[in-house]
Amino acid sequence: MRKNTISTQAHANIALIKYWGKRNETLFLPTKSSLSISVPTLTTTTSISINTKPSDILHLNDKKAPEQAIKNISRFLDVFRKQFSIHDHFIISSQNSFPTTAGLASSASGYAALTKGLNELYDLNLPSQELSLLARRGSGSACRSINDGFVLWHKGEKDDGSDSYAEQIFPSSYWPEFCIIIAILSTQEKQICSRKGMQHTIKTSPSYWQWVNESEKRLPLMINAIKNKDLTTVGMLCEKDCLDMHQCMQEAKPSLNYWLPKTTTLIEQIKSLRKNSTPCYFTIDAGPNIKILTTKNYVSSIVQALKNFEQTVQIIAPQ
Ligand code: PMV
């Protein structure tokens, strides 16, 4: 049974142990496993209805989406149509509660919401593993946004990608004090999309495979630290993984740098807050913005410090 129109939501996720690089570009298979936490303050809401004309239409935040975004969505919808022998085309409208394409994982929540929506539109009742496998074909990290809480994306071994999916390892309720504050330093679109950035890093960075090896070793340590609700170890592992990943990018030829000078300044501020007994740690993705890991008791003092740091454009913090 097909419904006429539906609306779904998904949250963005922030990787504590990162994904950067594919072993198969077509199937979006990663070179390594990764681990993330879903962020309830970053939500994508997507509505989907059937288009009676044979083309896919996409509106992003109430505006017609750029050509490239429509092409990417149609490529993903072709995967869906082929897998389920569906011939419909769609009108999709997607709203983000946060700036799009500034390294805040909008493609992850976007493709996860779309995947959940298609599942609902056609009453497919797919289990979450199947949804994750499908979302991965839109954007790798989207496979981690099907579930909330702490989520592990298994890189998988098979060539067809059937074992490369993400699953929840702890629900958010396991560690409800843990939270993420986002410090937006720029809402500008990134110059180099993560897909191209990954290809360039794998091809030209001498330290890429060393990062992959080290990062894989950090994964079980991270799982254990989350299990023990040990913020210090989670934070230190997360910072190390992020800094090593960005170093690989910076060592690529030509160098790939997603940071702004104020990114470095804010990192120093976070470290000095920490020295003054505020437990907080940073991570950064393919953009200049900073995500801060902490626990609920410290949110208001960190938010105050971010307000004092006058270069912050917007702060997104849990209530
Ligand atoms: O799935 P993509 O193409 O948005 O890549 C995500 C890459 C990072 O955000 C930098 C790291 C990660 O694991 O989320």
Side-chain angles (χ1 to χ4, degrees), residues 25-277:
E25 290 285 334
T26 317
L27 297 176
F28 290 68
L29 300 179
T31 53
K32 61 181 289 297
S33 299
S34 56
L35 191 155
S36 63
I37 174 77
S38 66
V39 187
T41 49
L42 304 181
T43 307
T44 298
T45 305
T46 297
S47 72
I48 313 174
S49 52
I50 307 290
N51 191 5
T52 48
K53 298 191 183 122
S55 63
D56 298 311
I57 294 177
L58 173 65
H59 291 272
L60 274 180
N61 300 321
D62 294 326
K63 283 194 207 124
K64 185 173 182 273
E67 278 312 308
Q68 190 55 49
I70 299 175
K71 266 194 200 150
N72 292 347
I73 285 263
S74 278
R75 181 198 45 75
F76 169 75
L77 291 169
D78 286 343
V79 171
F80 169 74
R81 283 187 274 259
K82 190 166 171 214
Q83 187 173 339
F84 295 95
S85 305
I86 282 168
H87 303 286
D88 296 327
H89 286 78
F90 305 97
I91 301 171
I92 297 163
S93 173
S94 209
Q95 311 266 356
N96 290 326
S97 69
F98 56 94
T100 304
T101 64
L104 290 182
S106 57
S107 61
S109 50
Y111 278 104
L114 181 57
T115 303
K116 286 172 160 186
L118 293 167
N119 181 47
E120 229 180 89
L121 192 68
Y122 290 94
D123 272 334
L124 297 172
N125 289 317
L126 297 174
S128 92
Q129 186 171 321
E130 289 295 320
L131 293 174
S132 178
L133 286 167
L134 180 58
R136 194 198 72 223
R137 301 292 300 274
S139 155
S141 57
C143 76
R144 298 189 312 233
S145 271
I146 292 295
N147 290 295
D148 282 336
F150 294 90
V151 170
L152 174 62
W153 176 8
H154 304 277
K155 71 172 179 166
E157 301 295 337
K158 295 185 182 163
D159 287 342
D160 68 0
S162 57
D163 55 354
S164 184
Y165 62 89
E167 63 179 343
Q168 186 191 68
I169 50 169
F170 299 101
S172 311
S173 58
Y174 178 76
W175 191 3
E177 301 80 20
F178 182 85
C179 58
I180 302 251
I181 301 169
I182 318 269
I184 298 179
L185 300 178
S186 165
T187 52
Q188 291 255 303
E189 254 188 53
K190 55 191 169 220
Q191 300 288 313
I192 300 177
C193 68
S194 47
R195 185 187 186 94
K196 289 208 173 117
M198 288 179 195
Q199 287 168 345
H200 179 65
T201 312
I202 293 193
K203 239 193 246 160
T204 68
S205 176
S207 50
Y208 177 74
W209 289 103
Q210 195 186 337
W211 169 70
V212 169
N213 283 335
E214 294 298 317
S215 184
E216 287 275 27
K217 285 188 211 150
R218 281 191 276 267
L219 192 57
L221 305 178
M222 178 63 87
I223 295 173
N224 204 38
I226 297 167
K227 191 171 165 211
N228 295 331
K229 302 179 192 171
D230 171 359
L231 181 69
T232 310
T233 308
V234 167
M236 293 313 284
L237 287 167
C238 181
E239 285 190 0
K240 181 89 180 96
D241 201 59
C242 153
L243 288 174
D244 286 359
M245 177 185 79
H246 283 278
Q247 191 175 337
C248 286
M249 299 175 186
Q250 281 157 18
E251 285 176 8
K253 291 173 191 70
S255 177
L256 181 59
N257 185 7
Y258 286 105
W259 297 14
L260 291 171
K262 54 185 174 178
T263 309
T264 316
T265 318
L266 185 52
I267 288 177
E268 290 311 316
Q269 300 249 346
I270 292 166
K271 286 186 181 163
S272 81
L273 275 176
R274 200 151 78 210
K275 270 201 197 117
N276 292 319
S277 314

